[in-house]
Amino acid sequence: MDKRWRDIGVLAGALFLVNVAARLIIHFGTDGDDAAADRVSLGMFVLIGLILAVVAFQWGRRQPLGDWAADVAGAVLVAMLLTVLVGPLLVGDSPFAGGAGTFFAQIWLYLAATGAGTLVGYLVLTALGLDHRSQSLKRYAEIKAAKPRKVVRR
């Protein structure tokens, strides 16, 4: 159980650190260029999606979908809250500086990126037949095929 919470915390921390790095790059490196800031934001969302695709692929091999999906959802929720509430404070802004529209747009974009990344990772895993359920069914079929049939005599 302790390892499970540590994995969730590490994932949430990694997702938040990606956001912090993007915010610092935008704050110190773009000099108010909106196009450059948009490219950095897009890169951040792509990187977050890739991280979650890899996590879904790895965790999906070890655990049933219900177990790891709840862990990923918890980590994403914590990272999202840190991203929209604490992230702006690190570069001297207010979380609500851009207005309600910008605040909720951040939330929707974050959820879209994390959802897409997780879905892609799990779909690739399932398509390759490496997910926990496919492997369980494969082991079951091998065990059933290995047992000799019982002969029923009349």
Side-chain angles (χ1 to χ4, degrees), residues 5-28:
W5 286 108
R6 187 186 67 229
D7 289 346
I8 293 169
V10 167
L11 178 58
L15 295 175
F16 179 61
L17 284 178
V18 169
N19 179 264
V20 168
R23 285 186 189 274
L24 292 174
I25 290 169
I26 290 170
H27 185 71
F28 294 115

Side-chain angles (χ1 to χ4, degrees), residues 89-103:
L89 298 174
L90 297 175
V91 292
D93 291 335
S94 168
F96 305 102
T102 303
F103 179 78

Side-chain angles (χ1 to χ4, degrees), residues 37 39 41 48 51 60-61 78-79 89 92 96 98 114 122-124 132:
R39 285 192 299 272
S41 293
I48 286 172
I51 289 171
R61 292 182 80 163
V78 168
L89 298 174
F96 305 102
T114 56
Y122 185 67
L123 288 177
V124 168
H132 186 267

Side-chain angles (χ1 to χ4, degrees), residues 33-75:
D33 183 14
D34 287 341
D38 289 344
R39 285 192 299 272
V40 172
S41 293
L42 177 63
M44 175 198 69
F45 285 123
V46 168
L47 183 58
I48 286 172
L50 285 173
I51 289 171
L52 283 168
V54 170
V55 166
F57 191 90
Q58 291 297 322
W59 290 6
R61 292 182 80 163
R62 299 188 316 230
Q63 303 171 19
L65 175 63
D67 291 348
W68 68 263
D71 295 349
V72 168

